[in-house]
Each structure stands twice: as C-alpha cells, then as structure tokens.
Amino acid sequence: MSDITDLFRSISPDTPEPDAATIEGDLARGRTALVRAHRRSVVRRSVFATGTLAVGVVVAVAATQTGGGSAATNDAGPAHHIKAHHAASAVNLVAYTGKQLEGFTVDRVPAGWHLSTSTQYALLVTANGSTDDDPSVFVDKLAVLTSSADEHGLGPGDPVTVNGQPGHVDNQAGTLILRYNAPNGFGIDIQAPPALHWTADQLVSFAEGVHVTGDAVHARG
Amino acid sequence: MVTTERDVQFRAYVEARRGQLVRTATFLAAGDHHAAEDLVQTALMRMYVAWPRVRSETVDAYARKALVNALIDTRRAAAHRFEQARAELPDIPAHDPPATETETTVFAALSALPARMRAAVILRHLCELSVTETAEALGCSEGTVKSQTSRGLTQLREALIADGVALAAPVGHDEPATARTS
C-alpha cells in the first residue's frame, strides 16, 4: 500500500446502498439506450442496403391493435424465459389472403395489419391506417429482414425453434427480436414492436409462416 | 413493462456494486459529485446495452472500463466549455457534501492531472488494480500505465506537499520512473 493509497482511502466518500428509485433509473436509462441502439442498427442496415445494391426484402405490417380475427397460434418451441406482455391484449395472427410482395410470402399477419412495403431484403407489416410506408423506417412496424451474408450467429436471446431451425428471441424493452436461419440459407431477423404485445411463441408462429422467395437477397451492411 | 433475465441480473449488479462505482467515479471526477453520478449513469447505461456480452467473471473490469471511457468521452465533449470565460463563478449546489480541507486539496491536485493520467493513478492506487488490469481498463499498454502512473504520482505529490499535506514515505506500488512508454 502506498502513501497515496492511504490518503485516497482517508478521504474516500461514504457510498450508501442505492435506493430503489436509483436502481430503476439505471434500468430505465439502459432500456432506452438499448432500444435506440437497436433502431440505429436496423435503420443503418436498411439505409445501406437501399443505397447500394437494393437487395433484400422489408415488409412491415402495422395493426390497429383491435385484436380479434382468427388466430393461427402454433406452438413453436420454448422461449419460456420471454414473458408475455399482456396476453389478453396481444394482437392475434390471422390467415393472410391479400397480395404478396417482392422477396417474401407470408401465411399469417397480425389481425388488423397489412403488408406495407417490401424490398428484396426486407418486408414491413404495418397497422391498418398507418401512413408510414417508408421502407427504411421500422419503428412501430413488424419487420422481416434478411441478414448480411457475412453475418453469422444467432445473437443474444432465448433459444427457439422455427420450422425445425434454431433461433434466438431477445426482448429489448418490449421489442422482440427473433433471429433464425431459414432452410434456404438466409439468416432472418424479425422485429416485433411492443404494440403487438406478443410472446416469443407468437413471434415464432408468425415466422413459421414467412417464406423467402427466389427474388430475395442478403442485406448488405 | 416486461422483466427479462437481463433486467434481473442487471438490477442485482447495480444493487451490489453501484456504491463502489460511485466511489471510484468521485475520484475520477476529482471530487465533483454530480459529474461522478453522470459517469456512473453513463457507464451503467452502456453496460445494460452490452449485458449479454459481459461475462460474469469480468463484469467489474467491464464496469471500470466503462467508467474510464465515460470520463474520456465527457472530457472530449466538454473541452470547449472549459475554455469559455465566465463573468461569475458558477454556483455550487448546496446539497453537495461539505469537503474537508484535505479533500479539497487532493481533488484539486487530481483535477490538474490529464484525464487518462488521473485514471491510471486512481485505478492503481485507489482500486489497487495490477498494471495489467489497469492497462485493460485504459485500453493501453502496460508500459504506458507505468509511465502515466509514475508521472501522475510525481505531480500529485508535488502539489500535495506544496499545499501542506503530510505524506508518509512512498512505499510499495510506485511505478519505476524510467518505465518505457509505448
């Protein structure tokens, strides 16, 4: 121990245990930062892909959150660690019979939501009534994106199975992020906004109805 | 709000370690309690984002590194403000704990050190980290840690002695003054 260490210790401030409000404040700031970080990464990827090769597919379907419809809720794997938000207010899945867009086809959509727009690397699903059809904005949208060809790994989250393929679901402040590998070799990210109030199983159920078509490409970025 | 495993683990960490982080941050901020709180909040916010990648056995090291990075970032962002002339002295918040004469002297001496040098001295002589651990926290070589610490201690002692602070004879941890920089 040095003379300076002695001196530092002699003036070291008392540091009481943090109270509950302080801890919750730290948690809230972390959650907010996490959402911002995720949105930045998704938008960056989208903008890059749009500006370069324009290859991939984005589909956003926004739902009015009115619920209802005939849910096609498959039991798709565990994800027990991801807790349901409020099952009663979750937007159910219903069979999709409308026009399919470039890059992907979907079997089911959230009730009251529709396919908004797509590219070869992303498909966006938005709530009926939403006027935001910007393919580079994912806020409050259900987004399906292909991963970059050089992007490997499933990222953080709890393990799930999507059509027999391994995946991970991560809850980032209410936004569920599913990453899995599609049978045709595409890595797929699906982002479900908090407005859907989905569980991991509901997200997996949606994912099992998503099919990457021949005109889809890997995102770049 | 959904509670995730990340939330549970993070909350437990904050509850157990926040006090220690505030203590270290207070020295890094040279006695400015508000700046110290800002450093801790920034570091914890970044830790939450990175939580899945933080291993439990290195979580404290990660926290120290996040604190130091927050200090460096803050210094960069605020550098221009330090050069602005003020007509009046800034108000000192009334709820800051009163500083003793020794505290005032020590923190003034610490504030005169460049941020990285101050961090090296604090990590070595307050947190009692090894040279290797300090180098990891600062993101530099061990030689740089030794050099920065040696110079920092010399400047610190000179300032403290000039202000009449009695120091025991230096023993143990001092870095070799001839340490190679790299």
Side-chain angles (χ1 to χ4, degrees):
Chain A
M1 184 187 306
S2 74
D3 55 332
I4 296 296
T5 301
D6 282 339
L7 183 62
F8 283 169
R9 285 184 175 178
S10 73
I11 64 168
S12 193
D14 290 334
T15 51
E17 295 292 320
D19 57 25
T22 301
I23 296 172
E24 290 310 309
D26 289 329
L27 196 54
R29 278 184 290 275
R31 284 169 166 161
T32 301
L34 186 60
V35 170
R36 279 201 306 266
H38 181 71
R39 285 176 180 171
R40 275 198 303 270
S41 69
V42 171
V43 170
R44 194 164 46 237
R45 181 190 307 165
S46 169
V47 167
F48 188 87
T50 305
T52 54
L53 297 181
V55 225
V57 181
V58 178
V59 175
V61 177
T64 53
Q65 290 187 51
T66 51
S70 58
T73 50
N74 299 347
D75 256 338
H80 299 302
H81 299 330
I82 304 289
K83 298 172 183 169
H85 296 223
H86 303 289
S89 60
V91 180
N92 292 324
L93 285 168
V94 296
Y96 180 70
T97 56
K99 180 186 176 186
Q100 301 286 355
L101 302 182
E102 178 186 27
F104 302 86
T105 63
V106 298
D107 296 341
R108 295 175 289 275
V109 295
W113 291 52
H114 67 281
L115 303 192
S116 169
T117 186
S118 78
T119 67
Q120 289 179 297
Y121 57 88
L123 171 71
L124 297 178
V125 186
T126 59
N128 292 342
S130 169
T131 56
D132 180 3
D133 58 359
D134 186 337
S136 66
V137 174
F138 300 88
V139 178
D140 297 329
K141 299 176 182 177
L142 175 60
V144 181
L145 305 106
T146 61
S147 301
S148 298
D150 58 354
E151 193 173 0
H152 304 293
L154 297 175
D158 293 317
V160 294
T161 302
V162 182
N163 291 328
Q165 300 294 315
H168 279 174
V169 174
D170 192 28
N171 187 322
Q172 301 187 357
T175 297
L176 295 185
I177 310 293
L178 167 64
R179 172 170 287 190
Y180 65 101
N181 295 315
N184 55 2
F186 279 95
I188 301 293
D189 290 332
I190 299 182
Q191 172 181 309
L196 288 172
H197 299 284
W198 273 1
T199 64
D201 284 351
Q202 287 171 302
L203 176 54
V204 168
S205 180
F206 171 75
E208 292 195 320
V210 172
H211 311 284
V212 182
T213 60
D215 49 351
V217 300
H218 288 285
R220 300 297 179 95
Chain B
M1 177 62 73
V2 175
T3 299
T4 65
E5 188 66 22
R6 178 200 303 244
D7 292 346
V8 172
Q9 294 173 0
F10 180 78
R11 186 181 278 118
Y13 180 79
V14 172
E15 193 169 358
R17 296 295 202 193
R18 196 180 204 283
Q20 188 177 330
L21 293 176
V22 169
R23 174 173 169 259
T24 302
T26 301
F27 279 83
L28 289 172
D32 183 333
H33 295 278
H34 296 282
E37 177 62 22
D38 285 346
L39 293 181
V40 171
Q41 289 184 9
T42 300
L44 287 174
M45 183 177 69
R46 292 175 180 174
M47 284 184 73
Y48 182 87
V49 173
W51 194 258
R53 302 190 299 276
V54 179
R55 289 177 291 143
S56 58
E57 60 269 26
T58 58
V59 64
D60 288 329
Y62 195 99
R64 286 190 294 265
K65 190 165 189 170
L67 270 184
V68 171
N69 287 340
L71 173 69
I72 303 300
D73 292 349
T74 301
R75 297 286 295 180
R76 284 175 183 152
H80 70 283
R81 291 204 299 270
F82 296 152
E83 297 172 3
Q84 292 175 351
R86 292 171 183 266
E88 299 174 358
L89 289 173
D91 291 336
I92 298 174
H95 55 274
D96 264 355
T100 66
E101 191 174 338
T102 302
E103 287 172 2
T104 302
T105 304
V106 171
F107 287 138
L110 279 173
S111 71
L113 301 181
R116 282 185 173 277
M117 184 181 289
R118 188 191 321 150
V121 169
I122 289 164
L123 293 176
R124 292 282 288 128
H125 290 271
L126 174 70
C127 303
E128 299 191 82
L129 300 187
S130 68
V131 172
T132 303
E133 291 168 330
T134 304
E136 170 66 21
L138 292 174
C140 66
S141 71
E142 295 185 13
T144 299
V145 169
K146 292 177 181 177
S147 173
Q148 292 277 294
T149 308
S150 177
R151 292 178 193 169
L153 286 175
T154 299
Q155 291 184 34
L156 197 57
R157 286 200 179 96
E158 287 175 355
L160 294 174
I161 291 169
D163 279 337
V165 175
L167 291 171
V171 290
H173 276 179
D174 279 12
E175 318 300 341
T178 57
R180 179 177 60 86
T181 57
S182 56

